[in-house]
Every structure is written in structure tokens, then in C-alpha cells.
Amino acid sequence: TWHLKKLTSVTDLTPDNVNTIIMLADKIRASPHKYQGVLKGFVSANLFFEPSTRTACSFNAAMQRLGGRVIDVSGSSSSAVKGETLHDTIRTLESYTDVIVMRHPAKGAALEAADSGSKVFINAGDGTGEHPSQALLDIYTIVREIPARQRLSVCMVGDLKHGRTVHSLAQLLVQVFPNTKITYVSPKGLEMPTDVWQIVQQAGGDQSIEQDLHTAVSSADVVYVTRLQKERFNSQDDYEKLKDSYSITQATLALMKPDAILMHPLPRVNEIATECDKDPRAAYFRQMENGMYARMALLSLCVLGHEPVPHHHHE
Amino acid sequence: TWHLKKLTSVTDLTPDNVNTIIMLADKIRASPHKYQGVLKGFVSANLFFEPSTRTACSFNAAMQRLGGRVIDVSGSSSSAVKGETLHDTIRTLESYTDVIVMRHPAKGAALEAADSGSKVFINAGDGTGEHPSQALLDIYTIVREIPARQRLSVCMVGDLKHGRTVHSLAQLLVQVFPNTKITYVSPKGLEMPTDVWQIVQQAGGDQSIEQDLHTAVSSADVVYVTRLQKERFNSQDDYEKLKDSYSITQATLALMKPDAILMHPLPRVNEIATECDKDPRAAYFRQMENGMYARMALLSLCVLGHEPVPHHHHE
Amino acid sequence: TWHLKKLTSVTDLTPDNVNTIIMLADKIRASPHKYQGVLKGFVSANLFFEPSTRTACSFNAAMQRLGGRVIDVSGSSSSAVKGETLHDTIRTLESYTDVIVMRHPAKGAALEAADSGSKVFINAGDGTGEHPSQALLDIYTIVREIPARQRLSVCMVGDLKHGRTVHSLAQLLVQVFPNTKITYVSPKGLEMPTDVWQIVQQAGGDQSIEQDLHTAVSSADVVYVTRLQKERFNSQDDYEKLKDSYSITQATLALMKPDAILMHPLPRVNEIATECDKDPRAAYFRQMENGMYARMALLSLCVLGHEPVPHHHHE
């Protein structure tokens, strides 16, 4: 049995939960046809208050590949424009559906929404807050790509202040792999926020700040790059001066270990040069695909309350 | 057999039709899995020229829960922006689909659209005109919640002039329950329109206007509240002065009969205080769920032309 | 077996391909239930960077009627707004889906997108470039409506410069029916572009320009009308002066052969008067429906890599 019905933060997940999801994701990937009907008769509402191609499509494909149905609800078409509270929107959607997957621009909105309803709820990103299913797929990618080792070294690069993916990932990493060493490389003013730093600290995580990208990547098993957004800088000049120091090129790849991997939550703009795409260590497109399987595992567990039983006949 | 293919107004519905829908809605609710495939192979176009979370989602979930497929067509992405007539849009969509569910801002558009095509058509609201499936779910809610009685007393509160839900409901009520007594409570200038009043009158309905909300609610079996929209008032001042006199609070609930119910088509803004939500007489969220079942019944009858045959095996 | 996986231009299609699609479209139309599950388990991404009611709905209905699932991705909600390249968007969507159907405002975007991925890709219109599935459904309509004859005469009317449907159709016509005679009737400045003219020429096509609409239509088996867009003219005056000379009315129909047909890709504005709709030669709404069947054939062939096997039991 699986008890988790509402996922708003990575702190909702135990290491056991994460392992169950990872193992199930692998089983589904191995025999997708056997899982094709396990959510037949269930309906999901994809409630996106801000656009997101990849997260919305990934959850949509995950639900549909399990035989479930999806209703897309965009923020602009939603009754929120008529002044409805988030609480009422959630209660209404729960009248029609079995799962709500929500993206919202405000930090904390996920918790408010989860508390409003009684069915399955998954936070698909709330402002600068959390994005727990992204952390799950990131961990899944690391487990698939990096053989088990004594000590995992992860280097996070870019805007660590606003990137909710790295906030969720850092917390989940120390929870699942206690021997992880995390190194942060970011421009001044865009460092990992204090609250995340403290959570990692209290969990006994080994974390440090590194100024030089090249030093940091050379010893890492995982280099995790996030977007540097122009609008976060005081001036266009500041951005132009800095962006290259945090960009990954073939020269950066040359410094990386031969069995390391390069990750990015995508979309990327200039942070990773396209010349890197052909390098086998570039894992970001595989990471996307892992996301769909991780979400298939997550959705089926939360909706059914137990591991889905694979069908032996093509249904 | 079921003859109705086009539902543009509640006047299309006989009391027999309403009873068939209510009984079928109850059957589907009792064994949803048995009805899971009855619209397999059928496709619905949800053509919404103005946004509507709940009506669109409700019809979408209804169709998909019956095994049908849905294509969402928003007004802004539609060829209407290229100058296409409503007639051509309907004929085009009918080339691909078996049902059209339409929401349109202009009163009368539903009839024009229904006349353009030859397949199943359901009016999901046309401006200040009608919203017949809302009236169906309202009646369904009343039947489910209030035990059969000699004389049903319904009190309608709020903006009765622009609220198409109350226009459709009043007409359908007197048609289905000839012994209904309807009381209207509304601000000056927002009274029930003359044409609706006359239809109710001709059907032999017992209707009256009441100035005082408290008097009206104390004898009602059903208190039906609608939205007071700020933009309908001459001034912000007028709105602020009046809105509280038409708001339902715990104090109002205290005056209501113990077996009465409180309904609202939602979304609400200030018309019903959230403190009322926990009162068992607050029926508005149950009303939402009833809507999905009523629409499942309506869609399956109109598309199949007869009552759907429940499947005995999980398909 | 069927080798074509990417359709960006009509030049990708051999006459054999076209025949296979036409014959399969007819089989599916004859027994839609037998094909209802052939794409079960497959997911399509409908990536529309500009709105299009009919093409989007037609592909959506086609996929769903074959048992497949669809994810609608609109350009505005896409990561393109965050500066993502088309290449990355395609690679991402391919992580989740089995087919990408794309509409894009820029000529050439279809080829760029097709080259970015490795799965099935179908160009649903790229700017003033091509729209090959429209040409397929146009050919399918001609084959269904006009008995085989020694020499087919097609008259194309309207804005032949910007109409990508006529660009694709002219090229495909001479490829599939070497004995076609094409006559072009268009306002000055909106003639068929030189590159299309040359392709038709090199394929041995018999083409000519005709100034007078009435002369042109009287000898045609097929009159194919396209939209005259106001914004393509130098002045409103120019448009008003010209639009009637390229409009089809009952008077025009009176000049047409009794077994000719009148086609239009729709939406129409004033190019064909609604009075023509009742004439049996008005084929444009049948053309719409043919489009869905042609796309069902195309999708199933490209996704499966062979002709779908019809099911004998209602699945």
C-alpha cells in the first residue's frame, strides 16, 4: 500500500517512497503495454495558472499512457478571473476529477490548494517554491545514469536563488543519498537561499560554495545547470558580463569526468551550448523522458493507493 | 427511445425527459464503471466562445467518463477570428465530431447554431439567454436533497435580471413541479425579466416578489443564490451599499428551515460567506458533482438516442 | 510496409503513397469501428504555433477516432516564449509522444522541426510554405467526387500567391494525375509563385493563366476557390473593387458543368456565397469530412509503419 495522496513538497517523500517510484518507473518503461489501462476510468485536471510546455505535457502524457483521461484547465480560462478563491476552484474541480496537478505562480499556493480538497493533489511548481516531481525525475535520472557509489558529488550551477528545481533537488538528495556532497556555483546575489541551505545542513548534508565553475565541474559526478534569466540582473550589462562564466561548452565538458553526466531541467537558452548535445554525458533529453516515467509511477501510486498490477494481455 | 437531439432551451424538455435524465444520472452515479464505455467511439467538440471552468470541465469529464473523446475548441483559436460565420463553424465541427457543446456570449446564438447542423447540439449558455443543462442539474439536486412534498417553496436571491441560470430554472421548475411556489428577492433594477415572469405565469406557476431576504428564506425549502456582479451597478457605491443585504451568512442560515438547502451555481464571490460551507444545508459543492452526472445522462441519451445499456464486465 | 515517417512537403509523397492513403481512407470510412483501436497506446502532440480550428480539430479527431491520445500544445503556452529553440521543443515533445503534428507561421519551419527529431512528424502548414495533408484531402475529394477520366481540368481561383493549399495541391496534382490541366485565375500581384509554376512545369504539367473567371469555370471539372485576404491588398479600395470578380455565386454555378465540383479549403468569407451551399456540386463541407479520413489513414500508416489491421470485434 501507498499512503501519500498529496505531494506539495519533497519533504512529503520518504527515501522508501522515492525507491518505490524509481523501481516502478523502471518497470513501466520496460513494459509500457502492461500498464496501459491501470488508470482507466480516472480523470486528472491539469490546472496550470502559468504556462509550462514540458511539465504540463509530461503529466498529460503520463496520465494518458496509463489509460486515464486529462482535462486541461488554464489559469486564464479559469473562474479565478471572476474572483473565485483557489479553495473554491479546487473543490469544484474535485467534483469532476480524481487528481489535480497544479502549477501556480505564488509560493505556498500548492499547500493552500492541497488543504482545500480531499483527493489526490500534486504540486507541479509553485512560484519560487517547490517542484517535487521535478526532483523525483532528477533523482531517477541520477540513479539510472550513475552507478551506485560510496559518495556522490553533485555540482549545481547558475541561478540557485530563483530556481525551484535546485531547491527541491538539494533537499531530496540529502534525504535519499546521505553521502552526497553538493557544490554550488552561482553569480553573486543568486546564491542558494538560506532556508534551503539550513534544511540541507540539518539533514547532515555536505555542502559548499565554489567560485570557479571549472574547478567545481572537474570533480563532479553530476553537473546540474539551471537557467540564468536576464530579468534577474540589475542591468543588461551585468547579465552579459556574467552569462558566459556560467555557460557549459565543449571546453567545460573536456574538464568533466568521463563517467559524469550533465543535467538541465530545460528549457535552456545559452547555459549549455548545443555543441554539447552529441556528447554521451549530455543527459538532459534522457532526463525529460525519465520525467514521464517517474510521473506515471507517481500518478498510479497516488491514485490507486497501491502499486498498479500490470495486465498480461494487451487490453 | 429518446428523441431529443438538440437542447437549446428548457422548453425543449418535457417532464418525462427530466425524469429520465434524473433516474439515469442516479444509475450512473451508483455504478460508474458499468457506464464507462457507453460512448466509446464518439467524439464531442466543446466549443467555448467565452471561458467557463466549471461548465467546460463538467461536460468534458462527463464525456470522458463515458468513454467518449473530447476536442476543446476555444473561441479565440477558432476560425471566427478569420471572419467565419457561426453556421460554417458548426458545419465544419460536425464533419469531425458527433456532439457539439457550445457556450456563446450572444443570446440566441444557441438556436442559430442548432439550426445550422444535423447532429447532437447542447447549449452550454448563450449570453443572458439560457443554460438548460444547469437547470437540469439544479432540478436534479432539488430532487436528491429534498424529500417529495405537496408544495415546494423556492427562493431565488440576487441578480435575477442577468442570471441565465435562474431564468432557465424558474421555467423548468413550474414545468416539472406544478406545485412550486417561487419567491424572488433582488435589488431594484435587477428583477426577474418580464418574459420569464410571463412564461412562469402562463404555466400556472405561483410566483411573488419579496423585499426582505430574511422573511423570504425562513419559509423556503430551497434558497438559490446568484452572483451580484459589480459591473451591473450604476456606481461602486450602489454596489457596496447593496451587496451585504443579499449575502448569505451563518445568521441567514440560522433563519432557514432545518431541512432546507442552500444552492449557488458558482463561482461565488461574496454572496455566500465561506463560514456557511460546513453547514450540511450548504449544497453547492454537491450541486457541482450532480452536474457531472446529469450531463453524463444527457449526453448518453442524446448521442445514443436511447438509454445506455450498462456493461456487466469491467471493459 | 510504409516507409514515410516525416511529411513536410507533397514532394515526400509518391503516387503510390497517395493511392494507399486514399484506399485506406475509404476502408476506414466504411467501417470506422474496426479501426477504433489501431492507435491505442500512441500519443500525438498537436503543436500549433498559430491557431487553426479546422486543421487542429481534424488531426485531433483523426487520432482519437483511431484510439490514440492527443496533447494540445499551443504556441503561446509553449516554452518558445522563454526563448527555447524549435529544435529543443521538438526533442522535448518527442520524449513524451509518438507523433508531432505542427503548424508554424514561418515557411521552412517544418523541415527544421522534422530534422530535429527521430519520430513521426507531419507538417500541418508552415507559413506560406506547404500544407501537404490538405493537398492529400483535396486529391481524395477529387477522386471520390469525379469519375476517372482521360483528362482532368482544375481551375484555381483567388489569392494564389499566399495560399499554401494551392501550392501543395498543384504540385501533387501533376504528380498523381499526369494528364491534369490547371488554370489559374487571380488578381494582379497575387499570381501563383514562380517556384511552384516551375515545379509543375518540370513535372510536365499543363498549366495556364486565365483572366476571366467565367470562361475558366465553364470548362473545369474542379473549381478550387481560396480566400482573398483584405490585408494582402494595397488599399481597402483595391480589395473592394476586386473581391466580387473572384466570388462564386449561383450565377457562377450556372456556368459550371453539371458534374463539376466546387471546392474551398475553408474558412470562407465572401468568396463563395452561402446561396451555393445547397447546390450538390458544392463539395466543401464533404471536403472537410474527407480530411478527417485522409488524416486517419496518414496517421495510422506513419505511426505503425504498415497498413493497420482492422479489428473484427468491437473492442
Side-chain angles (χ1 to χ4, degrees):
Chain A
T1 52
W2 173 270
H3 295 291
L4 192 76
K5 277 180 69 182
K6 292 175 189 296
L7 178 59
T8 57
S9 159
V10 288
T11 58
D12 298 329
L13 293 164
T14 65
D16 257 13
N17 288 158
V18 176
N19 280 331
T20 303
I21 289 167
I22 286 176
M23 283 187 306
L24 179 55
D26 270 341
K27 285 184 210 167
I28 295 173
R29 180 196 297 265
S31 324
H33 278 76
K34 292 190 181 169
Y35 291 87
Q36 203 171 276
V38 298
L39 290 190
K40 193 171 176 180
F42 294 97
V43 178
S44 156
N46 271 10
L47 176 60
F48 276 66
F49 286 97
E50 56 178 23
S52 157
T53 305
R54 73 204 62 241
T55 306
C57 288
S58 178
F59 271 110
N60 191 321
M63 188 71 190
Q64 295 208 71
R65 286 192 184 277
L66 295 166
R69 302 299 184 99
V70 176
I71 299 176
D72 282 314
V73 190
S74 76
S76 61
S77 79
S78 122
S79 289
V81 302
K82 295 183 189 163
E84 188 175 58
T85 62
L86 183 56
H87 176 268
D88 276 14
T89 300
I90 296 294
R91 296 242 2 217
T92 296
L93 287 177
E94 281 201 349
S95 313
Y96 311 138
T97 64
D98 308 288
V99 197
I100 295 175
V101 174
M102 188 181 87
R103 160 73 54 101
H104 197 284
K107 186 173 176 172
L111 201 59
E112 185 193 341
D115 285 345
S116 300
S118 60
K119 295 191 175 173
V120 174
F121 178 87
I122 295 171
N123 176 11
D126 60 333
T128 57
E130 284 219 41
H131 192 356
S133 68
Q134 175 75 41
L136 272 171
L137 77 90
D138 289 340
I139 296 271
Y140 179 38
T141 300
I142 293 171
V143 170
R144 276 184 68 83
E145 302 260 343
I146 309 270
R149 60 190 58 188
Q150 199 57 32
R151 188 169 176 74
L152 182 74
S153 168
V154 177
C155 167
M156 298 184 178
V157 180
D159 178 352
L160 305 179
K161 183 176 176 192
H162 301 97
R164 64 187 158 206
T165 45
V166 286
H167 302 171
S168 290
L169 179 58
Q171 296 176 58
L172 194 61
L173 265 176
V174 289
Q175 223 170 294
V176 178
F177 304 118
N179 278 324
T180 307
K181 175 179 155 49
I182 315 183
T183 309
Y184 305 121
V185 186
S186 65
K188 265 222 158 47
L190 299 178
E191 289 91 358
M192 186 61 89
T194 316
D195 59 336
V196 179
W197 179 279
Q198 281 170 349
I199 291 169
V200 172
Q201 199 70 13
Q202 278 156 21
D206 175 355
Q207 55 189 343
S208 60
I209 292 172
E210 172 62 63
Q211 301 304 329
D212 183 55
L213 178 65
H214 289 182
T215 309
V217 302
S218 60
S219 62
D221 300 309
V222 176
V223 175
Y224 195 106
V225 184
T226 63
R227 231 153 34 108
L228 266 200
Q229 292 173 279
K230 219 181 283 186
E231 59 272 28
R232 304 296 191 187
F233 289 83
N234 290 328
S235 72
Q236 172 92 16
D237 261 25
D238 283 10
Y239 171 72
E240 292 298 335
K241 247 181 277 170
L242 275 168
K243 77 174 164 58
D244 289 343
S245 344
Y246 297 90
S247 279
I248 309 293
T249 60
Q250 279 187 332
T252 328
L253 273 170
L255 300 169
M256 281 173 59
K257 297 203 295 188
D259 56 355
I261 58 169
L262 180 60
M263 295 176 69
H264 191 296
L266 302 184
R268 66 171 158 183
V269 183
N270 301 307
E271 311 89 32
I272 301 181
T274 53
E275 63 187 24
C276 300
D277 293 5
K278 272 163 288 181
D279 191 294
R281 292 171 291 178
Y284 29 93
F285 290 115
R286 298 192 295 275
Q287 193 182 346
M288 289 297 99
E289 199 178 350
N290 294 339
M292 186 178 68
Y293 290 111
R295 283 164 181 142
M296 288 173 85
L298 178 66
L299 282 168
S300 58
L301 288 163
C302 292
V303 171
L304 297 174
H306 57 76
E307 221 178 280
V309 181
H311 292 280
H312 287 289
H313 297 288
H314 180 96
E315 201 205 359
Chain B
T1 52
W2 174 270
H3 295 292
L4 191 76
K5 278 179 69 182
K6 292 175 190 294
L7 178 58
T8 59
S9 159
V10 288
T11 58
D12 298 329
L13 293 164
T14 65
D16 257 13
N17 289 158
V18 176
N19 281 329
T20 304
I21 288 168
I22 287 175
M23 285 187 305
L24 178 56
D26 270 340
K27 286 184 210 168
I28 295 173
R29 180 198 296 264
S31 324
H33 278 76
K34 292 190 181 166
Y35 292 86
Q36 203 172 277
V38 298
L39 289 191
K40 193 172 176 178
F42 293 98
V43 178
S44 157
N46 271 12
L47 175 62
F48 276 66
F49 287 97
E50 55 179 24
S52 158
T53 305
R54 73 205 61 242
T55 306
C57 289
S58 178
F59 271 110
N60 191 322
M63 188 72 189
Q64 295 208 70
R65 285 193 184 278
L66 294 167
R69 303 298 185 100
V70 176
I71 298 176
D72 281 314
V73 190
S74 76
S76 62
S77 78
S78 121
S79 290
V81 301
K82 295 183 189 164
E84 189 176 56
T85 62
L86 183 56
H87 176 269
D88 277 14
T89 300
I90 295 294
R91 296 239 8 213
T92 295
L93 288 177
E94 281 201 348
S95 313
Y96 311 139
T97 65
D98 308 288
V99 196
I100 295 174
V101 175
M102 187 181 88
R103 160 74 53 101
H104 197 284
K107 185 173 175 172
L111 201 60
E112 184 192 340
D115 285 346
S116 300
S118 61
K119 294 191 176 173
V120 174
F121 177 88
I122 295 171
N123 176 11
D126 60 333
T128 57
E130 285 220 40
H131 192 357
S133 67
Q134 175 75 41
L136 273 172
L137 76 91
D138 290 339
I139 296 271
Y140 178 39
T141 300
I142 293 171
V143 169
R144 276 183 67 81
E145 303 259 343
I146 309 270
R149 60 189 59 189
Q150 199 57 31
R151 187 170 176 72
L152 182 76
S153 168
V154 177
C155 167
M156 299 183 177
V157 181
D159 178 353
L160 305 179
K161 183 176 176 191
H162 302 97
R164 64 188 158 204
T165 45
V166 286
H167 302 171
S168 290
L169 179 57
Q171 295 176 58
L172 194 61
L173 266 176
V174 290
Q175 223 169 294
V176 178
F177 303 118
N179 279 323
T180 307
K181 175 179 156 47
I182 315 182
T183 310
Y184 305 122
V185 187
S186 65
K188 267 222 155 48
L190 298 179
E191 290 90 358
M192 185 61 89
T194 316
D195 58 337
V196 178
W197 179 279
Q198 282 171 347
I199 292 168
V200 172
Q201 200 69 13
Q202 280 156 21
D206 176 356
Q207 55 190 343
S208 61
I209 292 173
E210 173 60 63
Q211 301 304 330
D212 184 54
L213 178 64
H214 290 183
T215 311
V217 302
S218 60
S219 62
D221 300 308
V222 176
V223 176
Y224 196 105
V225 184
T226 63
R227 232 156 27 112
L228 268 198
Q229 291 172 279
K230 218 180 283 186
E231 60 271 31
R232 304 297 192 188
F233 289 82
N234 290 326
S235 71
Q236 173 93 15
D237 261 22
D238 283 9
Y239 171 72
E240 292 299 333
K241 247 181 279 173
L242 276 167
K243 77 174 162 57
D244 289 342
S245 344
Y246 297 90
S247 279
I248 309 292
T249 61
Q250 279 186 333
T252 329
L253 273 169
L255 300 169
M256 282 172 58
K257 298 202 292 187
D259 56 356
I261 58 169
L262 180 60
M263 296 176 69
H264 191 296
L266 303 185
R268 66 171 158 184
V269 183
N270 302 306
E271 310 89 33
I272 300 180
T274 54
E275 63 188 24
C276 300
D277 293 6
K278 274 164 286 181
D279 192 293
R281 291 171 292 177
Y284 28 93
F285 290 116
R286 299 193 293 275
Q287 193 182 346
M288 290 296 99
E289 198 178 351
N290 294 339
M292 185 178 69
Y293 291 111
R295 282 163 181 142
M296 288 172 86
L298 178 66
L299 282 169
S300 58
L301 288 163
C302 292
V303 171
L304 297 173
H306 57 77
E307 220 178 281
V309 181
H311 291 281
H312 287 288
H313 298 288
H314 180 97
E315 199 205 2
Chain C
T1 53
W2 173 269
H3 295 291
L4 191 76
K5 279 180 68 183
K6 292 175 189 297
L7 178 58
T8 58
S9 159
V10 287
T11 58
D12 298 329
L13 293 164
T14 65
D16 257 12
N17 288 159
V18 176
N19 279 329
T20 303
I21 289 167
I22 287 175
M23 284 188 305
L24 179 56
D26 270 340
K27 285 185 211 168
I28 295 173
R29 180 196 296 264
S31 324
H33 278 75
K34 292 190 181 168
Y35 292 86
Q36 203 172 277
V38 298
L39 290 190
K40 193 171 175 178
F42 293 97
V43 178
S44 156
N46 271 12
L47 176 61
F48 276 67
F49 287 97
E50 56 179 24
S52 158
T53 305
R54 74 204 61 242
T55 307
C57 288
S58 179
F59 271 111
N60 192 322
M63 189 71 189
Q64 295 208 71
R65 285 192 185 279
L66 295 166
R69 302 298 184 99
V70 176
I71 298 175
D72 282 315
V73 191
S74 75
S76 61
S77 77
S78 123
S79 290
V81 301
K82 297 184 190 164
E84 188 176 57
T85 62
L86 183 56
H87 176 268
D88 276 14
T89 299
I90 294 294
R91 296 241 3 217
T92 295
L93 288 177
E94 281 201 350
S95 313
Y96 311 139
T97 64
D98 307 289
V99 197
I100 295 175
V101 175
M102 187 181 86
R103 160 74 54 101
H104 198 285
K107 185 173 177 173
L111 201 59
E112 184 192 340
D115 286 346
S116 300
S118 61
K119 295 192 175 173
V120 174
F121 178 88
I122 295 171
N123 176 10
D126 61 334
T128 57
E130 284 220 41
H131 192 357
S133 67
Q134 175 74 41
L136 273 171
L137 77 90
D138 290 339
I139 296 270
Y140 179 39
T141 299
I142 293 170
V143 169
R144 275 183 70 80
E145 303 260 343
I146 308 271
R149 60 190 56 189
Q150 199 57 32
R151 187 170 176 70
L152 181 74
S153 168
V154 177
C155 168
M156 298 184 179
V157 180
D159 178 353
L160 305 179
K161 183 176 175 192
H162 302 97
R164 63 188 158 203
T165 45
V166 285
H167 303 171
S168 289
L169 180 57
Q171 295 176 58
L172 194 61
L173 265 176
V174 290
Q175 224 169 296
V176 178
F177 304 118
N179 278 325
T180 308
K181 173 179 156 49
I182 314 182
T183 310
Y184 305 122
V185 186
S186 65
K188 267 224 156 46
L190 300 178
E191 290 90 358
M192 186 60 89
T194 317
D195 58 337
V196 179
W197 179 280
Q198 281 169 350
I199 292 169
V200 171
Q201 200 69 13
Q202 278 155 21
D206 175 356
Q207 54 190 342
S208 60
I209 291 172
E210 172 62 63
Q211 301 304 331
D212 183 55
L213 177 64
H214 289 181
T215 310
V217 302
S218 61
S219 61
D221 300 308
V222 175
V223 175
Y224 196 104
V225 183
T226 63
R227 227 152 37 104
L228 267 199
Q229 290 173 279
K230 220 182 280 186
E231 60 270 30
R232 304 297 192 187
F233 290 81
N234 291 326
S235 72
Q236 173 92 17
D237 261 24
D238 283 12
Y239 171 73
E240 292 299 333
K241 245 181 281 173
L242 275 167
K243 78 175 162 57
D244 288 343
S245 344
Y246 297 91
S247 280
I248 308 292
T249 61
Q250 279 187 332
T252 330
L253 273 170
L255 300 169
M256 281 172 59
K257 299 203 293 187
D259 55 355
I261 59 169
L262 180 60
M263 296 175 69
H264 191 297
L266 302 185
R268 66 172 158 181
V269 184
N270 302 305
E271 310 89 34
I272 300 181
T274 54
E275 64 186 25
C276 300
D277 294 5
K278 273 164 287 181
D279 192 294
R281 292 170 293 178
Y284 28 94
F285 289 116
R286 298 193 293 274
Q287 193 181 346
M288 289 297 100
E289 198 178 352
N290 294 338
M292 185 178 69
Y293 290 112
R295 283 164 180 140
M296 288 173 86
L298 177 66
L299 282 168
S300 58
L301 287 163
C302 292
V303 171
L304 297 173
H306 57 77
E307 220 178 282
V309 181
H311 292 280
H312 286 290
H313 296 288
H314 180 95
E315 200 206 1

